[in-house]
Amino acid sequence: MKEEIVNLLTKENKISEKTIDELKQVDINDFKSIVEEIGKQETEYIKADKIAENLNTKYIGKNLYVFHEVQSTNNIAKFLSANGIADGSVIISEKQTAARGRSGKVWNSPLGGAWLSIVLNPHVDHSKLPLITLATGVAVAKTLEKIGIKNPEIKWPNDIIINDKKVCGILTEAVAKFNTIENVIIGVGIDANVDIETFPEEIKDYSTALEKELGRKVDEHELIRIFLEEFEKIGELFDHEGYEEILKEWRKRSYSIGKIVEVKEPFNKCYDGYVLGISKEGALVIEKIDGTLEKVISGECNIKK
């Protein structure tokens, strides 16, 4: 975290190379106001005022920070959330240089995408965190439907799929103290107008972009605005314990249900099975080859057929 903030301050010429060593002796939280100031500066590609001018939300995105380049919007969100940032604040970056997905996987984030993190202060138990990820997936899918994507699907637990290819990833992280969740950071990365051909070979064949699917460029400002509105709507359901409605919307768009999958759970537990559905806790329900049932809370779930 400290390295991320020092890197940002150095790039923005807020500190000199000479003072970097001195910062090791300083509480990095003292730089909150400078980081906020950077996030309010004029940016070239994505403009906060263009998102805000027609944004119809009560609190999500009312406090916007837009950066030209950061390592990870989730990291900046965690830093600001530890220093009293408003509930529903949104951190956006035109580019990310060290973004990550689940299990520490690298997430390509060049210019042309919608890379953002939302800071929430929900009063929820740890057991509800998987449902936050699923709810976010529903909000993304509804957003894509509104801009013209015909059949976006949600691959458990955190990928949005168009025509069998990934267009969006979600990373939910809890900031906890003494077993109490203080903040939840929800990172969302949508390949909007990015050139998939520039992606690493290992992910290029499995990725797509909205521009490619729609045959036209997407307005990132409109995309982000619609998503924030859809996220608040689904968030209101979550706040009022409308979990079954969220799961109903998720099931309608599920890419995973009805498929044969390879499950990789923590501690190298691997097996194949058939996806029967999703539980009320947000766990994937798998029928294994031997007929026994498993509930998968965390891990990877790769489609085989």
Side-chain angles (χ1 to χ4, degrees):
M1 179 71 69
K2 194 166 190 174
E3 180 186 349
E4 164 90 4
I5 300 305
V6 170
N7 179 67
L8 175 64
L9 295 176
T10 305
K11 278 188 174 180
E12 295 291 334
N13 298 316
K14 298 298 182 180
I15 56 174
S16 67
E17 295 287 347
K18 294 180 181 178
T19 60
I20 290 178
D21 286 337
E22 297 173 17
L23 284 178
K24 294 176 182 176
Q25 313 302 321
V26 177
D27 184 349
I28 199 67
N29 292 324
D30 293 342
F31 292 94
K32 179 213 174 190
S33 60
I34 301 178
V35 173
E36 286 188 300
E37 177 190 317
I38 295 170
K40 296 294 184 180
Q41 290 177 168
E42 184 75 10
T43 40
E44 180 180 354
Y45 193 68
I46 294 180
K47 310 288 188 181
D49 58 349
K50 286 190 177 181
I51 298 169
E53 62 185 358
N54 293 312
L55 182 64
N56 184 22
T57 60
K58 296 174 185 174
Y59 73 104
I60 296 294
K62 292 302 183 182
N63 195 23
L64 287 171
Y65 297 94
V66 182
F67 297 85
H68 170 62
E69 179 180 293
V70 300
Q71 291 180 358
S72 161
T73 57
N74 263 31
N75 285 348
I76 299 298
K78 278 191 265 188
F79 170 75
L80 291 175
S81 71
N83 289 279
I85 195 173
D87 188 19
S89 293
V90 177
I91 289 80
I92 302 167
S93 188
E94 296 178 329
K95 293 190 289 184
Q96 294 180 106
T97 59
R100 64 195 185 283
R102 294 178 76 244
S103 305
K105 291 182 179 179
V106 174
W107 180 261
N108 232 46
S109 310
L111 279 174
W115 324 121
L116 62 93
S117 296
I118 302 173
V119 177
L120 293 182
N121 309 132
H123 302 289
V124 298
D125 186 81
H126 280 82
S127 64
K128 294 293 187 289
L129 287 178
L131 290 173
I132 293 178
T133 300
L134 299 187
T136 304
V138 172
V140 174
K142 287 190 168 190
T143 298
L144 301 192
E145 289 164 2
K146 283 197 167 182
I147 66 166
I149 297 295
K150 297 298 183 185
N151 187 33
E153 298 175 282
I154 310 171
K155 177 177 173 287
W156 186 92
N158 66 328
D159 293 341
I160 308 300
I161 306 294
I162 303 174
N163 296 325
D164 296 322
K165 294 189 176 184
K166 181 174 177 176
V167 74
C168 170
I170 298 162
L171 179 63
T172 303
E173 298 183 284
V175 179
K177 185 179 290 184
F178 305 119
N179 294 321
T180 300
I181 295 178
E182 295 198 330
N183 296 291
V184 173
I185 310 299
I186 302 168
V188 176
I190 305 174
D191 295 328
N193 301 312
V194 300
D195 182 1
I196 300 301
E197 292 304 313
T198 65
F199 279 22
E201 288 298 325
E202 61 269 22
I203 63 171
K204 183 166 65 175
D205 291 342
Y206 306 99
S207 302
T208 190
L210 298 179
E211 180 182 7
K212 182 177 180 180
E213 297 295 330
L214 291 169
R216 59 176 172 80
K217 282 195 175 294
V218 173
D219 183 339
E220 287 95 336
H221 302 95
E222 180 186 29
L223 178 68
I224 293 170
R225 177 186 60 77
I226 294 172
F227 167 67
L228 296 180
E229 291 173 353
E230 291 299 324
F231 183 86
E232 183 168 281
K233 290 175 190 174
I234 207 79
E236 287 177 352
L237 269 179
F238 191 93
D239 291 341
H240 292 90
E241 300 187 358
Y243 308 132
E244 189 50 50
E245 182 63 26
I246 293 170
L247 291 172
K248 177 183 174 183
E249 292 292 331
W250 190 94
R251 291 183 185 108
K252 279 166 50 178
R253 299 169 175 83
S254 173
Y255 182 76
S256 304
I257 294 174
K259 290 190 170 65
I260 302 294
V261 297
E262 177 189 45
V263 178
K264 296 181 180 178
E265 292 193 74
F267 309 109
N268 298 315
K269 182 181 177 183
C270 298
Y271 53 87
D272 291 351
Y274 178 81
V275 182
L276 294 174
I278 191 131
S279 74
K280 63 181 181 179
E281 300 87 11
L284 206 62
V285 181
I286 304 286
E287 182 180 0
K288 297 169 69 175
I289 302 302
D290 62 8
T292 59
L293 300 182
E294 289 275 353
K295 286 186 178 181
V296 184
I297 296 292
S298 62
E300 292 187 45
C301 182
N302 299 314
I303 306 292
K304 297 190 77 172
K305 61 181 179 178

